[in-house]
Amino acid sequence: MPDMSRETAVEALSREQAEAELAALAGEIAAADERYYADDAPEITDAQYDELRRRNTAIEERFPDLVRPDTPSKRVGTAPAAKFGKIRHALPMLSLDNAFSDEDVADFARRVRRFLKLGDDAPLAITAEPKIDGLSLSLRYEGGKLVSAATRGDGSVGEDVTQNALTLDDIPRRLKGEAPDIFEVRGEVYMSHADFAALNARREAEGLALFANPRNAAAGSLRQLDPAVTRSRPLRFFAYAWGEASALPASTQMEMVAALGRFGFPINERMKRFTGIAELIAHYHAIEEARASLGYDIDGVVYKVDDLGLQERLGFVSRSPRWAIAHKFTAEKATTVVEAIDINVGRTGKLAPLARLRPVTVGGVVVSNVTLHNEDYIAGRDASGEPIRGGRDIRIGDAVVIQRAGDVIPQVLDVVEEKRPAGAVPFAFPDHCPICGSKAAREINARTGRPDSVRRCTAGLTCPAQGREGLKHFVSRAAFDIDGLGDRLIEAMFDEGMVHQPADIFKLSLGPVKALMEQRALAMRLEREAAEDAELAASGKEARKRGDRKTYDYSKAAQNLLAAIEAKKTVDLNRFVFALGIPHIGETSAKALARHFEDVRALIDGAAAAAKARPGEAWDRLTALRGFGEGSKALEGLVAAVEEKGETPDFDPTQHAGLRLNAPQRVALRESFGAGSAMVEGLRTAIGARAGEAYRAIAADSDIGPVAAHSLIGFFDEAHNREAVQALLDAGVSTENPLFHRAEVASPVAGKTVVFTGSLEKMTRDEAKGMAEALGARVAGSVSAKTDLVVAGPGAGSKLSKAAELGIEVLDEDGWFERIGRTPG
Ligand code: IVH
């Protein structure tokens, strides 16, 4: 048996030993690469990895004729020296809202006009340009010199790819001309069709895995730890936006992009400016027609309000600007067959149906499964038997049309009923959890009073699927983001019983972690060898003889992991909240909650207070009506009117002059509350059941909303959830909260509670709210002793008198602008 010991000096290796060791090294390095690149969960240290590669090269140098066709030394792009550093973007890198139809585009323009209070005829210039299908990059120049380059990452923090960006010919190291001192240029890195085809041909000849499309190839090439590899890949760049800038060289989008061109960047020649929707859409079609001949992938057209002053006023909602939208090209379609319907159980216990399809290529990508959302979607009807929009009656064996639009996940577009096989029966959705066998139930939606479309396993965290998925979510990138603790490793820890709940992660000790890593490495190796042998057997060859399997010492890797866990004992509150996996609380609402509560304790107390202040059913019914959402002007007006005039005989809220309800709002009120005195009575009951401030503060936050508010309350209502959170705190986890300090924004209204009332003439209500909040103020809907300032436009009524009564400072709109040191418009 050859001696596989790595202790043998290369010079002393026999030919036989060398051959065996090269084979083993090829397998180990490939496995390590897989863990690092595909799973993002390396199990050996960078130093150990480098040592494997060095040894491989040394042996190959001594025995050049033994170099294997699959040698790691010929494989480019898999030589991690160190993980990428992180760069926090000075201004977040945003994403874009999508439009899929001409109507969506018209809606976008209407929203912009409404927000800005622009009449239908007032000119509004909007640019249109191709949406490049690559990956976005932010380039920071200081004193005209490129100092850093970062990928988008999660929008706030990206990866430092500076050295790689420097290898792109399209990216100037120095800006030409008179550029601002500090200037972040943003744009898209992409690969042309010709370069992509050549790269893949080269890879095929070398026996390497092929890239699925130019976008993946561009991303894979930019995110290389070795800049030499990036240099060898033909990447290109278009500049189309900017981040932080010490000064702006222009005042419109169009001129800014022209300036980017003068500074030395490639800019897209198909960008144009228009003043009418019809022209925008015509340009969209022109770009769509040119699509095949552009030589690079685009997936739509981006429209942007041209005037930068207006962009500033429009601001952002969540992670997308209000002043821009992406008009996506229509999706690509293909027909295939549903071979089976599987049910997965997610971290919230949701039974998620997945159609297994006969694999089919849609727009260049092989699709073999597609989500079917929920049981109503599959049945095409809701729990009460009513047909639902978008629902399909999908059966096993059905021919279905699949659609894939850009990076949007594939969907079933249609069922080809003529092709339905005889005997196909409606899919029987399970009413028990396929994992743990517990009952799976549909919850009653608190707001609509109807059964939810989602069926959930009722076992909570005692269901293994939920426990496992919950832990994966807990360590995921947007949550605790623990280096080296990826999906597979946390799954293994769960399956081995090392970790049951999140707090256990912080109690792991070296021995068991090391043993698990060793055991997994060995299992992976055996699996690989079995696959190799099976392949050899299939081609009639004999299985290879292998020496003793040496296991590595995983102490260092285990130590690194524990250090990474220790490092995450302090996290930002929003990550902590997101990590808990509370249904309906995503990254955006978790961030919003972090603006309301300073730490975990405050959040738990806040949820308890909100639970007490929770509205009654009648109030929920009112705020569920279209046009009367929590925090809306119509709702506020209606409440004020009923409170003021409710006693007056024959009072009809729908006809109340000050209220100016539109027809759908009047109809909605009548349908829900009846007419005449019945309506007034119903509304008074609803108002009596109105939510208290502790509830309203979160439910009226547009990034949270009533559904997430109810869910938060429900989560902390459960003792086992409170215990799991307490266990984390007991394990030494603590939070920081940079978001909470909004009240410390240095502004004359920071920390103040402001109420806007009356009809505002110099700004829209949304704009006023956005402006005040950006300056660190809280905006409330009604005047109380807690109000610091009332801004009143013409026609202000009861709130103004209430302010006078309570002695609260009142400003008119001009006074407001003067106070915050700005000029209107
Ligand atoms: S503007 C604040 N313009 O699309 C607006 N984005 O879906 C920032 N993209 O993350 C984006 N071509 O990576 C803009 N001409 C273009 C674009 C473009 C491609 C990408 C960009 C962004 C994504 C949003």
Side-chain angles (χ1 to χ4, degrees):
M1 203 172 287
D3 175 15
M4 297 272 297
S5 161
R6 298 282 147 77
E7 267 64 72
T8 312
V10 172
E11 299 73 46
L13 285 175
S14 71
R15 212 182 145 67
E16 213 187 347
Q17 285 173 326
E19 187 171 15
E21 195 174 335
L22 285 178
L25 283 165
E28 273 155 30
I29 294 173
D33 285 344
E34 164 103 15
R35 302 295 296 141
Y36 185 93
Y37 287 99
D39 308 341
D40 229 358
E43 288 181 352
I44 58 173
T45 63
D46 293 342
Q48 284 169 327
Y49 180 87
D50 289 344
E51 182 46 40
L52 291 181
R53 279 192 160 257
R54 260 198 298 278
R55 175 113 183 147
N56 189 67
T57 313
I59 302 175
E60 287 182 341
E61 275 171 5
R62 211 185 130 212
F63 297 99
D65 59 319
L66 293 185
V67 172
R68 299 165 56 87
D70 64 346
T71 175
S73 53
K74 293 241 175 68
R75 208 170 39 223
V76 280
T78 46
K83 278 215 135 192
F84 290 106
K86 299 255 180 331
I87 291 186
R88 182 168 285 280
H89 302 300
L91 287 177
M93 286 182 83
L94 301 160
S95 52
L96 293 170
D97 208 4
N98 290 325
F100 293 100
S101 64
D102 294 359
E103 192 42 42
D104 289 349
V105 178
D107 278 347
F108 162 69
R110 269 195 290 273
R111 275 199 303 278
V112 166
R113 285 183 184 278
R114 200 178 324 126
F115 191 94
L116 296 171
K117 263 196 167 171
L118 284 180
D120 289 346
D121 300 329
L124 176 67
I126 296 180
T127 61
E129 69 201 71
K131 181 171 189 301
I132 318 295
D133 196 6
L135 71 154
S136 48
L137 187 67
S138 184
L139 303 164
R140 188 176 173 90
Y141 290 84
E142 290 178 5
K145 219 175 130 221
L146 180 65
V147 293
S148 65
T151 61
R152 195 175 104 108
D154 64 1
S156 308
V157 178
E159 284 171 333
D160 182 349
V161 291
T162 312
Q163 295 310 316
N164 299 354
L166 285 167
T167 70
L168 268 72
D169 290 341
D170 282 351
I171 295 179
R173 288 171 173 243
R174 273 197 161 277
L175 297 179
K176 289 197 220 145
E178 296 278 295
D181 187 37
I182 293 187
F183 197 34
E184 279 179 10
V185 176
R186 292 178 175 175
E188 202 84 353
V189 173
Y190 67 99
M191 194 179 280
S192 74
H193 290 156
D195 289 335
F196 168 70
L199 173 66
N200 258 356
R202 215 164 70 211
R203 289 177 70 84
E204 188 162 30
E206 288 167 13
L208 300 175
L210 303 187
F211 287 112
N213 53 46
R215 202 183 71 81
N216 285 2
S221 303
L222 185 70
R223 297 182 66 257
Q224 284 290 333
L225 290 160
D226 180 359
V229 175
T230 309
R231 184 186 301 283
S232 75
R233 306 272 177 87
L235 293 178
R236 322 196 52 164
F237 183 76
F238 271 126
Y240 52 65
W242 57 95
E244 193 186 0
S246 51
L248 288 183
S251 59
T252 64
Q253 187 73 30
M254 204 66 199
E255 290 159 19
M256 276 299 291
V257 172
L260 292 174
R262 288 196 300 278
F263 296 151
F265 291 96
I267 53 173
N268 198 290
E269 56 174 15
R270 284 185 165 72
M271 177 176 184
K272 293 217 158 67
R273 172 167 49 194
F274 302 95
T275 45
I277 303 293
E279 286 103 317
L280 280 180
I281 289 173
H283 192 51
Y284 165 87
H285 289 299
I287 292 178
E288 190 176 32
E289 256 167 50
R291 190 176 179 189
S293 56
L294 289 178
Y296 50 86
D297 275 353
I298 63 172
D299 57 347
V301 171
V302 184
Y303 305 127
K304 300 173 184 169
V305 170
D306 190 42
D307 183 308
L308 302 189
L310 298 183
Q311 287 189 3
E312 167 112 26
R313 278 177 62 195
L314 285 156
F316 309 91
V317 213
S318 181
R319 305 177 71 157
S320 335
R322 274 200 199 87
W323 45 264
I325 198 158
H327 190 177
K328 292 294 197 77
F329 290 134
T330 12
E332 322 223 22
K333 294 171 198 155
T335 304
T336 185
V337 173
V338 176
E339 295 189 323
I341 297 178
D342 290 351
I343 306 285
N344 294 323
V345 181
R347 71 182 154 81
T348 57
K350 174 179 168 178
L351 268 49
L354 187 75
R356 298 280 175 210
L357 304 173
R358 185 171 300 159
V360 63
T361 306
V362 196
V365 172
V366 179
V367 175
S368 50
N369 50 52
V370 59
T371 175
L372 297 181
H373 303 286
N374 55 58
E375 66 186 287
D376 290 351
Y377 178 88
I378 302 180
R381 327 195 146 264
D382 69 13
S384 57
E386 287 294 309
I388 57 164
R389 232 180 109 201
R392 297 272 168 236
D393 183 15
I394 299 167
R395 306 180 182 189
I396 296 171
D398 270 349
V400 286
V401 181
I402 303 298
Q403 142 165 318
R404 193 182 141 262
D407 40 9
V408 178
I409 51 169
Q411 299 284 341
V412 173
L413 187 68
D414 221 340
V415 174
V416 190
E417 287 193 19
E418 309 84 81
K419 290 201 187 161
R420 172 163 289 163
V425 289
F427 180 68
F429 203 91
D431 54 7
H432 282 77
C433 172
I435 305 293
C436 72
S438 307
K439 196 168 165 342
R442 290 177 150 212
E443 280 159 23
I444 301 296
N445 186 311
R447 293 179 57 73
T448 60
R450 298 214 204 112
D452 249 336
S453 54
V454 169
R455 197 178 276 276
R456 287 181 207 276
C457 164
T458 51
L461 289 177
T462 55
C463 167
Q466 293 184 55
R468 219 165 184 252
E469 296 304 312
L471 285 165
K472 273 157 70 175
H473 173 78
F474 186 87
V475 298
S476 65
R477 217 173 110 184
F480 269 67
D481 190 22
I482 296 174
D483 260 350
L485 189 52
D487 280 4
R488 307 248 189 101
L489 190 55
I490 191 85
E491 276 179 355
M493 289 177 171
F494 180 82
D495 294 344
E496 291 294 317
M498 289 163 66
V499 170
H500 300 280
Q501 58 160 339
D504 299 336
I505 295 171
F506 298 92
K507 299 177 198 157
L508 287 168
S509 52
L510 197 61
V513 171
K514 181 181 156 210
L516 180 74
M517 285 182 166
E518 273 164 10
Q519 177 197 325
R520 280 169 38 76
L522 184 64
M524 266 164 44
R525 190 146 121 203
L526 292 174
E527 210 174 281
R528 204 172 53 240
E529 289 174 1
E532 264 175 34
D533 290 350
E535 212 172 286
L536 288 173
S539 49
K541 295 188 193 129
E542 221 174 283
R544 229 156 28 84
K545 291 210 173 58
R546 295 184 180 88
D548 278 344
R549 286 169 194 84
K550 181 174 183 296
T551 47
Y552 287 99
D553 182 359
Y554 278 87
S555 310
K556 189 79 185 87
Q559 271 166 18
N560 287 349
L561 178 63
L562 293 188
I565 293 173
E566 187 64 30
K568 291 293 165 77
K569 273 197 171 164
T570 308
V571 284
D572 286 350
L573 181 67
N574 53 305
R575 283 180 176 270
F576 186 102
V577 174
F578 176 67
L580 296 177
I582 304 169
H584 305 293
I585 299 203
E587 280 180 78
T588 302
S589 38
K591 277 193 184 151
L593 284 167
R595 290 197 284 271
H596 290 265
F597 302 105
E598 188 162 16
D599 54 23
V600 181
R601 238 328 101 228
L603 177 76
I604 298 174
D605 294 347
K612 288 210 192 83
R614 208 176 345 197
E617 189 265 332
W619 177 259
D620 270 343
R621 196 149 56 88
L622 173 59
T623 56
L625 296 184
R626 228 192 142 103
F628 293 97
E630 191 76 73
S632 68
K633 197 172 155 191
L635 181 70
E636 276 172 41
L638 181 66
V639 170
V642 174
E643 279 176 346
E644 217 169 285
K645 303 250 166 72
E647 307 281 352
T648 322
D650 295 336
F651 168 64
D652 181 353
T654 60
Q655 301 303 327
H656 187 58
L659 215 50
R660 288 205 219 109
L661 297 180
N662 58 28
Q665 285 171 322
R666 288 199 295 268
V667 172
L669 272 187
R670 270 190 222 115
E671 278 183 356
S672 270
F673 290 91
S677 60
M679 177 190 287
V680 175
E681 218 22 70
L683 287 173
R684 288 175 69 164
T685 312
I687 294 169
R690 185 177 195 174
E693 185 53 33
Y695 174 87
R696 243 181 311 153
I698 48 178
D701 184 321
S702 59
D703 282 337
I704 305 174
V707 174
H710 275 289
S711 180
L712 178 80
I713 293 170
F715 180 87
F716 283 109
D717 216 21
E718 301 263 358
H720 70 92
N721 289 331
R722 285 196 307 272
E723 280 156 22
V725 171
Q726 189 58 47
L728 277 168
L729 301 178
D730 293 344
V733 177
S734 64
T735 56
E736 285 175 343
N737 189 359
L739 296 172
F740 185 69
H741 299 295
R742 293 245 310 207
E744 284 172 17
V745 172
S747 94
V749 293
K752 301 241 155 85
T753 300
V754 183
V755 173
F756 291 93
T757 181
S759 57
L760 302 177
E761 292 179 325
K762 309 209 159 147
M763 52 190 162
T764 63
R765 204 161 277 266
D766 283 343
E767 202 179 350
K769 182 166 187 277
M771 204 185 300
E773 284 175 352
L775 292 167
R778 257 182 39 75
V779 177
S782 57
V783 176
S784 73
K786 288 197 203 128
T787 312
D788 296 300
L789 186 62
V790 171
V791 180
S798 60
K799 288 183 199 164
L800 195 54
S801 24
K802 183 118 186 233
E805 205 176 286
L806 294 169
I808 293 163
E809 182 180 12
V810 178
L811 294 174
D812 62 9
E813 281 180 277
D814 284 332
W816 163 254
F817 281 106
E818 203 173 299
R819 173 70 52 91
I820 63 170
R822 291 202 194 165
T823 41

